[in-house]
Amino acid sequence: MIVIGSEFVPFRNAKITEFSLQALQNQSEFVLVNSKKEAVLANANEIKFIVCNNLNLARQLQSLANDYIFDSKIALIIANDDELEDAIEARIDAVIYQKAVIGA
């Protein structure tokens, strides 16, 4: 698992961009999606991290990513270490602590 924003792991802030044609064209590193369709399109545009902000959607996206062998990583925005534990249990590729988020 990739961990961004933990006090225990050196990190840089994550500039997250809302899903849009411009974000895809600019190949933003972190793109916030709200659906499976947006995630598939982000992966097709070689976005490095497909970001969501709820565990239920993250589980669905991780399943898609595993089935279709996405090159993109699925990332979940979390607020605390309890949510990190939940993401670990769900086998999500990456977490981003809220304090490391810039943008969306």
Side-chain angles (χ1 to χ4, degrees):
M1 172 183 271
I2 299 166
V3 178
I4 299 170
S6 167
E7 63 189 273
F8 297 103
V9 180
F11 70 92
R12 59 184 168 69
N13 291 328
K15 184 175 186 232
I16 299 176
T17 307
E18 297 268 348
F19 180 88
S20 67
L21 181 58
Q22 183 177 1
L24 299 179
Q25 289 172 340
N26 292 342
Q27 289 195 322
S28 300
E29 185 175 12
F30 298 89
V31 173
L32 182 67
V33 301
N34 293 304
S35 69
K36 293 182 275 189
K37 179 180 95 175
E38 289 178 354
V40 168
L41 294 171
N43 179 67
N45 280 278
E46 301 177 0
I47 299 303
K48 187 170 181 180
F49 289 95
I50 298 170
V51 181
C52 63
N53 52 19
N54 76 70
L55 185 58
N56 185 45
L57 180 57
R59 282 187 176 116
Q60 293 175 38
L61 299 182
Q62 190 64 61
S63 179
L64 277 177
N66 293 344
D67 290 348
Y68 290 115
I69 313 174
F70 279 14
D71 291 323
S72 303
K73 298 291 185 193
I74 303 303
L76 174 65
I77 297 172
I78 61 170
N80 55 50
D81 290 340
D82 290 334
E83 292 180 3
L84 172 62
E85 292 279 344
D86 294 338
I88 291 168
E89 285 296 315
R91 302 286 197 252
I92 307 303
D93 289 329
V95 293
I96 304 169
Y97 280 82
Q98 183 65 47
K99 65 184 175 188
V101 171
I102 298 172

